[in-house]
């Protein structure tokens, strides 16, 4: 096997030609012999002096030049470290660390979860070099069939090409997480928080000045995952969004869409420049959303919002009543019946394209009728409303002909109706 041959040649100068050949021969022929402890299997093979295994050892030893076969370090590595060196050099992605102290569950550098069998003598080893593993059908993790206990220094050495150190900034657990992480493949070796303050970034820290852009990307990811609720939607911001949504529904482009998907997709535009200065979730919550939404308006329509979707409308009594655009297809004006006297038809918005739906209220502010056709209501529906309410609210006028009556927002103590 090419990997074993390379491990043999690379490992021999560290542990000696004979030991490297013995371990490699054991791996090549999978001679674990019913134990998951590779070192125990190696020692048994030496005791039993298996002829086939010895023949393979001699063949492999012959592949190593005398210079390569001389250990280049002082002292003799233990059997565990010697075996771990060869296994790790052959299969660096199988170097594994225990998920928790004393446990049987491991994570390999290649990202595979693996477990030792119950009762394994290797259980509790902080690090393993796994020589053989398989995944039973339907299992969530692999089963370690053969391995050797190693230390972290050996793990770092044999899996050196998998070592990485980098700033990692992303959205996790509901906020921006910024840390400097050292990994051995999928195994996290160490991590520490990154100072995301502008001062630290200017001074030059982990990320070499890329931290602001990474934080910005993390915040946008947070908006995609958690939604627009990360922003603070004041009444002003909510009502402005609803007015703009109505304008888009009634007139289309260039009035911008205001649905969640569009706002999230374009957040990198309309949330600037505040977004680039934000460092955490709390900074998103402090953005003036109403001001940011107005940045979505193209200049050609920016000055027409009050014309197309006015915040308030005048009613016959002289009051100016707030319009609700919660349903962009049907804006609502809630007004007391007495303030609408003399109104022959409901106002229209968006250049006359969309009629306002009137919610006519009792003097106590409770809805008594919903209509978009005032003439029909005055002629028919009003009679029943008058009959039901004039006795309950005698201080309010209830004329027989509301279409010609004087509107008022005040009570009339002398009113008899």
């Amino acid at each position: 096997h090419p990997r074993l041959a390379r491990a043999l040649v690379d490992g021999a100068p560290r542990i000696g030609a004979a030991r490297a050949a013995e371990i490699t021969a054991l791996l090549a022929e999978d001679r674990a012999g019913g134990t998951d402890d590779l070192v125990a299997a190696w020692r048994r093979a030496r005791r039993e002096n298996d002829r086939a295994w010895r023949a393979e050892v001699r063949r492999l030893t012959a592949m190593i030049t005398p210079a390569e076969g001389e250990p280049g370090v002082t002292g003799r590595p233990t059997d565990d470290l010697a075996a771990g060196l060869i296994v790790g050099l052959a299969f660096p992605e199988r170097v594994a660390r225990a998920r928790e102290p004393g446990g049987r569950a491991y994570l390999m550098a290649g990202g595979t979860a693996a477990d030792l069998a119950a009762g394994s003598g290797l259980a509790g080893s902080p690090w393993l070099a796994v020589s053989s593993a398989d995944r039973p059908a339907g299992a969530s993790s692999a089963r370690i069939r053969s391995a050797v206990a190693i230390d972290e220094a050996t793990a770092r050495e044999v899996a050196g090409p998998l070592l990485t150190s980098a700033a990692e900034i992303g959205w996790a657990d509901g906020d921006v997480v910024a840390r400097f992480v050292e990994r051995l493949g999928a195994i996290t070796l160490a991590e520490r928080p990154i100072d995301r303050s502008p001062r630290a970034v200017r001074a030059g820290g982990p990320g070499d000045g890329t931290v602001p852009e990474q934080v910005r990307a993390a915040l946008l990811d947070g908006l995609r995952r958690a939604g627009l609720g990360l922003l603070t939607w004041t009444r002003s911001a909510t009502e402005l969004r609803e007015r703009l949504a109505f304008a888009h529904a009634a007139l289309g482009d260039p009035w911008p869409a205001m649905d969640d998907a569009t706002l999230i997709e374009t957040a990198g535009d309309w949330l600037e420049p505040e977004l680039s200065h934000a460092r955490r979730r709390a900074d998103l919550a402090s953005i003036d959303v109403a001001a940011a939404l107005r940045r979505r308006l193209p200049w050609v329509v920016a000055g027409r919002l009050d014309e197309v979707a006015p915040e308030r409308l005048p009613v016959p009594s002289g009051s100016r009543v707030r319009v609700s655009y919660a349903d962009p297809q049907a804006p609502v004006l809630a007004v007391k019946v007495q303030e609408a006297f003399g109104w022959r038809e409901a106002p229209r918005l968006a250049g006359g394209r969309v009629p306002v739906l009137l919610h006519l209220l009792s003097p106590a502010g409770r809805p008594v009728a919903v209509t978009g056709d005032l003439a029909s209501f005055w002629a028919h529906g009003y009679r029943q409303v008058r009959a039901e309410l004039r006795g309950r609210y005698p201080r309010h006028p209830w004329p027989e002909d509301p279409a010609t009556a004087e509107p008022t927002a005040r009570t009339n103590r002398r009113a008899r109706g």
Side-chain angles (χ1 to χ4, degrees), residues 16-188:
R19 300 173 87 198
E22 288 176 353
I23 300 165
T24 304
L26 206 64
L27 295 175
E29 299 184 13
D30 194 16
R31 290 174 173 266
T35 177
D36 63 359
D37 188 337
L38 182 68
V39 173
W42 178 23
R43 290 168 179 165
R44 185 175 60 247
R46 286 189 294 192
R47 283 196 311 270
E48 296 175 353
N49 201 23
D50 181 276
R51 290 186 179 182
W53 176 68
R54 281 297 179 189
E56 178 65 7
V57 170
R58 288 192 294 272
R59 187 186 73 82
L60 293 173
T61 304
M63 296 172 56
I64 305 171
T65 67
E68 292 172 335
E70 293 298 324
V73 296
T74 302
R76 177 182 176 87
T78 64
D79 285 350
D80 282 347
L81 293 183
L85 186 75
I86 298 298
V87 173
L89 288 172
F91 310 109
E93 75 283 359
R94 295 185 197 167
V95 167
R97 189 173 74 170
R99 288 185 176 272
E100 57 184 34
R104 297 188 294 112
Y106 287 79
L107 176 65
M108 296 186 188
T112 301
D115 298 329
L116 288 167
S120 170
L122 294 172
S125 300
W127 289 87
L128 295 176
V130 178
S131 56
S132 179
D134 58 25
R135 188 190 295 273
S140 59
S141 60
R143 175 181 56 193
I144 298 173
R145 295 178 57 242
S146 179
V148 56
I150 58 174
D151 56 21
E152 183 174 333
T154 302
R156 287 174 174 267
E157 178 182 355
V158 296
L162 302 180
L163 273 172
T164 59
S165 298
E168 293 186 2
I169 300 176
W171 185 266
D173 301 325
D175 208 339
V176 176
V177 175
R179 56 190 180 176
F180 196 74
V181 183
E182 184 180 19
R183 297 184 187 277
L184 187 64
I187 301 170
T188 300

